[in-house]
Amino acid sequence: MRKLVTVRVVDAIEPIVGADAIECALVEGWTVVIKKGEFAAGDRCVFFEIDSFLPLADPRYEFLAKNAITWNERYGVRLRTIKLRGQISQGLILPLSLFPEIDATVLADPQLRQRDWTTALGIDKWEPSIPASLSGDIEGAFPSFIAKTDQERIQNLPELLAGDDEARFEVTLKLDGSSMTVFHRDAVTGICGRNWQLSETTNNTLWRVAREDRLLEALAALGRNIALQGELVGEGIQGNPEKLRGHQFHLFDVFDIDRSEYCGVEERMALVEALRAAGASLRTVPALEVTSLQRFGGSMSAILAYAEGPSLNPDTAREGVVFKRLDGKLSFKAISNRYLLKHSDR
């Protein structure tokens, strides 16, 4: 799960051309516009990642009130990707002195970002409203025996680019839709959205698509305890950027419930073929290539530039790309900054 609020170190301060009052702080892989002189290289800070929802009831965030919204009956501010004087700014950094609740013993830990302060500081992860046809009737909480799909961003993993590991990664498109999980466990099948297991109803789109694609029947025939995880895209979902008619489920991962781990690429592909042979009409997210991270030369800007490009619909700019190591044990996403700027309303 994403750690939205962490303690980090400002790596460097860079000027912004033509700007007198602001400058750019580099915080690991992130660039954050700040007031000039507010921080110096080496300073520790509290970093709030984009999509953090900051409550304006807390006076520490009152200076952001001009961007206030009401979300989930809460009044606050959602941090977005923005551009100021031509400089991308993602997130917010504030001085540690504003947060006495952060334990001083943690600050001595060289692994600063290992602890997540999101809950302790009353921060929520902003998410767009889910259409009624996707939310449906709740059967229960998201199953504890399945991992949730919320991959880390490359900006939080700069060490991966700095290393000399020659591991190979499968690169796939990241589609902008709604999370969907279809599982089979001990002869029981079910369907989940991002946060809940859903009951089958006639007006629920996730169940309808799963029935149309015969995913439940194929899983039952296969008999393995696995979960199919993917993106539901199409009409009425995130503005339908792919300009599709109807709805489509595109699988991006298979989770082995018995082993409690994701399948590697070869095993996932074999399971996809087995499910198709059992009658499933199973689409997968488009694969771009297999490559190593060494090709990016340790450059964060290079891998973010790679995230730009066409999507499933060649006339649509893609949301980004997902890197999965071939053994299935490591994955991350690189999101297109151009896409984030264009779709900052969601």
Side-chain angles (χ1 to χ4, degrees):
M1 300 297 292
R2 288 171 64 182
K3 298 176 181 179
L4 291 175
V5 186
T6 49
V7 175
R8 305 206 191 188
V9 172
V10 176
D11 295 313
I13 301 293
E14 294 183 348
I16 299 173
V17 176
D20 296 326
I22 57 175
E23 54 193 355
C24 181
L26 305 183
V27 183
E28 297 189 6
W30 300 96
T31 57
V32 184
V33 172
I34 60 172
K35 291 180 181 178
K36 186 165 287 188
E38 190 175 19
F39 289 93
D43 285 351
R44 287 174 170 171
C45 62
V46 179
F47 174 69
F48 299 79
E49 195 171 312
I50 53 174
D51 291 331
S52 295
F53 186 81
L54 283 58
L56 286 178
D58 188 324
R60 290 175 290 198
Y61 314 125
E62 284 181 347
F63 69 98
L64 299 169
K66 67 178 182 180
N67 297 315
I69 60 172
T70 299
W71 171 76
N72 279 358
E73 300 182 350
R74 297 188 68 191
Y75 183 63
V77 174
R78 171 203 168 194
L79 298 183
R80 312 165 184 258
T81 296
I82 60 175
K83 185 177 282 190
L84 298 169
R85 302 298 289 268
Q87 172 63 55
I88 291 283
S89 182
Q90 294 180 305
L92 171 72
I93 59 174
L94 293 175
L96 274 172
S97 58
L98 293 177
F99 300 92
E101 59 266 70
I102 295 182
D103 192 331
T105 59
V106 174
L107 303 185
D109 186 348
Q111 300 296 321
L112 291 176
R113 58 181 165 82
Q114 293 303 308
R115 181 161 178 181
D116 180 12
W117 293 92
T118 306
T119 301
L121 296 183
I123 307 302
D124 287 323
K125 179 179 181 291
W126 180 91
E127 292 181 315
S129 300
I130 300 175
S133 62
L134 301 182
S135 56
D137 293 340
I138 294 173
E139 184 167 322
F142 191 95
S144 60
F145 51 82
I146 303 173
K148 280 191 177 182
T149 60
D150 199 1
Q151 287 154 328
E152 190 62 274
R153 294 178 187 244
I154 185 57
Q155 289 97 325
N156 291 327
L157 302 169
E159 65 276 9
L160 293 183
L161 294 180
D164 57 2
D165 192 343
E166 297 182 358
R168 307 288 284 175
F169 286 78
E170 173 197 46
V171 186
T172 60
L173 289 182
K174 187 176 188 312
L175 301 179
D176 190 6
S178 186
S179 177
M180 175 172 167
T181 296
V182 186
F183 71 88
H184 173 275
R185 182 186 186 227
D186 299 335
V188 175
T189 55
I191 292 180
C192 309
R194 177 167 297 281
N195 297 311
W196 305 98
Q197 183 174 342
L198 304 174
S199 300
E200 183 170 14
T201 56
T202 56
N203 61 348
N204 183 263
T205 303
L206 283 75
W207 271 95
R208 177 178 56 76
V209 170
R211 289 295 188 195
E212 289 175 353
D213 292 349
R214 296 187 57 79
L215 300 179
L216 298 160
E217 294 83 353
L219 281 170
L222 192 64
R224 282 189 55 175
N225 292 337
I226 58 175
L228 310 181
Q229 296 188 311
E231 205 77 7
L232 184 68
V233 294
E235 293 175 308
I237 303 174
Q238 302 288 54
N240 190 18
E242 305 295 343
K243 305 297 186 287
L244 296 172
R245 296 189 64 182
H247 301 93
Q248 297 177 0
F249 171 73
H250 291 259
L251 178 134
F252 53 66
D253 253 328
V254 176
F255 185 78
D256 187 296
I257 294 172
D258 293 332
R259 300 198 310 255
S260 192
E261 64 182 23
Y262 282 104
C263 298
V265 173
E266 287 190 7
E267 184 180 13
R268 173 174 18 101
M269 293 173 65
L271 285 168
V272 166
E273 291 307 313
L275 290 165
R276 287 171 175 166
S281 299
L282 185 54
R283 301 177 179 88
T284 59
V285 293
L288 299 178
E289 62 175 329
V290 173
T291 188
S292 73
L293 300 183
Q294 290 182 329
R295 69 180 287 180
F296 300 103
S299 169
M300 186 65 67
S301 59
I303 199 167
L304 291 175
Y306 179 81
E308 310 285 350
S311 191
L312 184 66
N313 180 338
D315 295 326
T316 294
R318 64 186 177 226
E319 182 184 5
V321 292
V322 176
F323 287 74
K324 294 189 183 75
R325 203 167 66 190
L326 296 187
D327 63 4
K329 299 185 185 302
L330 174 65
S331 66
F332 63 87
K333 59 190 176 185
I335 303 299
S336 158
N337 282 332
R338 183 180 304 172
Y339 197 91
L340 289 172
L341 288 168
K342 181 178 179 181
H343 298 282
S344 63
D345 58 331
R346 64 169 190 268

